[in-house]
Amino acid sequence: MNFFNKISRSFALAHALLYIPLITGQMPSLHTFRYKAAGVLPVYTFKGQKWAIIAREKGGSDAGTYDSFAGSADKGENDPTITAARECAEELITHMVIGKNSNDIRDYIDVHNKNTELVIADQRKKYALFITNFDKYVDDIKHNFYTALKTKLPYRYKEKDKLAFVSFKELKRASQSNCPTVQALILSYDPTKKQYMKNASIQLRPILLAVLKNYFNNKPYQTGTNPTVRFY
């Protein structure tokens, strides 16, 4: 068998394996997804355009880059909805910013409650990203985040230190060009000016860019027991 025939057979086998769950009737489920990390990407609509809220990493190897509100699963967590909600509640300080604790966020992002528009379940990276509508909370986030950040709190609430707002159009451009740099509106704080927005170029965290590529580059996926979830 020549090299090209081997490649063709390997591709055919991989393609067939992808659809075994469909043949056997075993649809993939978010609740049985083998994940290592999960997070929430809050989105909202302004003047007919979709925007995402992201935040700057304060420390670690990716310090200075901007990411969703996400992190690794804690011991005992066995559902990405739990991990995503906890990470969002901590990093966005939601109990002070929008009056929602981790359990409230879990209910809010649950795919059965229609607030989450899409879940990108990346099987290679073992990562689940909940793209969730936060229209009703965006003003509270803008007004309260820095006030909450200045409050004396455990470190887990201060892993992010600055908010940015980036259009989905810009995220799509970055994903399709494989460029981590995007134009965004940075929410800044100055004692004399209070809070204000400024245009700036920022760097997306590599994991966020990698996961969004699946969606914006129209990569093949499976839907599972809930059509909101896409398994890439």
Side-chain angles (χ1 to χ4, degrees):
M1 184 183 297
N2 64 36
F3 174 76
F4 293 105
N5 284 337
K6 287 182 179 179
I7 293 294
S8 297
R9 289 191 64 178
S10 296
F11 179 80
L13 177 60
H15 192 266
L17 287 173
L18 179 65
Y19 290 97
I20 282 176
L22 298 180
I23 297 170
T24 62
Q26 295 175 353
M27 300 295 285
S29 167
L30 183 62
H31 301 301
T32 58
F33 178 49
R34 294 184 178 181
Y35 75 104
K36 289 184 177 179
V40 178
L41 182 66
V43 298
Y44 67 99
T45 301
F46 180 69
K47 293 185 177 179
Q49 188 172 4
K50 184 176 286 189
W51 292 75
I53 304 172
I54 54 180
R56 189 171 70 175
E57 296 289 322
K58 185 177 180 180
S61 58
D62 294 325
T65 62
Y66 284 74
D67 194 7
S68 62
F69 302 90
S72 299
D74 278 355
K75 185 177 181 180
E77 292 179 344
N78 57 8
D79 187 313
T81 308
I82 298 172
T83 302
R86 176 184 54 74
E87 288 288 343
C88 182
E90 291 176 356
E91 295 185 349
L92 193 52
I93 324 175
T94 59
H95 66 288
M96 297 182 68
V97 173
I98 63 173
K100 301 286 185 183
N101 62 29
S102 180
N103 288 333
D104 296 328
I105 298 298
R106 179 183 176 183
D107 289 340
Y108 188 77
I109 70 171
D110 188 284
V111 292
H112 297 99
N113 290 337
K114 308 301 181 183
N115 298 309
T116 290
E117 299 174 1
L118 174 68
V119 180
I120 300 174
D122 189 319
Q123 297 177 98
R124 293 184 64 185
K125 296 189 178 300
K126 298 183 178 180
Y127 185 102
L129 181 64
F130 291 68
I131 299 177
T132 305
N133 186 291
F134 271 67
D135 273 330
K136 65 177 71 173
Y137 300 119
V138 64
D139 288 337
D140 288 336
I141 291 171
K142 290 178 179 179
H143 294 150
N144 299 332
F145 179 75
Y146 288 120
T147 300
L149 193 63
K150 290 187 294 181
T151 305
K152 188 175 181 180
L153 291 167
Y155 176 76
R156 67 179 182 275
Y157 293 106
K158 300 194 176 186
E159 294 182 19
K160 300 288 201 292
D161 66 356
K162 186 165 285 191
L163 291 183
F165 303 82
V166 59
S167 70
F168 254 51
K169 185 183 296 185
E170 187 68 2
L171 289 176
K172 182 177 181 179
R173 180 203 60 76
S175 297
Q176 292 182 338
S177 62
N178 196 31
C179 174
T181 304
V182 294
Q183 294 298 311
L185 292 172
I186 306 295
L187 183 63
S188 298
Y189 179 84
D190 183 283
T192 61
K193 298 180 181 178
K194 301 291 184 178
Q195 292 180 177
Y196 63 98
M197 299 283 248
K198 65 177 181 180
N199 288 298
S201 294
I202 63 172
Q203 299 284 313
L204 298 179
R205 194 175 187 184
I207 184 63
L208 178 61
L209 182 63
V211 172
L212 288 176
K213 279 183 189 177
N214 292 319
Y215 171 64
F216 285 118
N217 287 292
N218 297 313
K219 295 289 181 69
Y221 64 88
Q222 276 184 276
T223 52
T225 54
N226 189 299
T228 303
V229 186
R230 295 183 180 183
F231 294 88
Y232 290 91

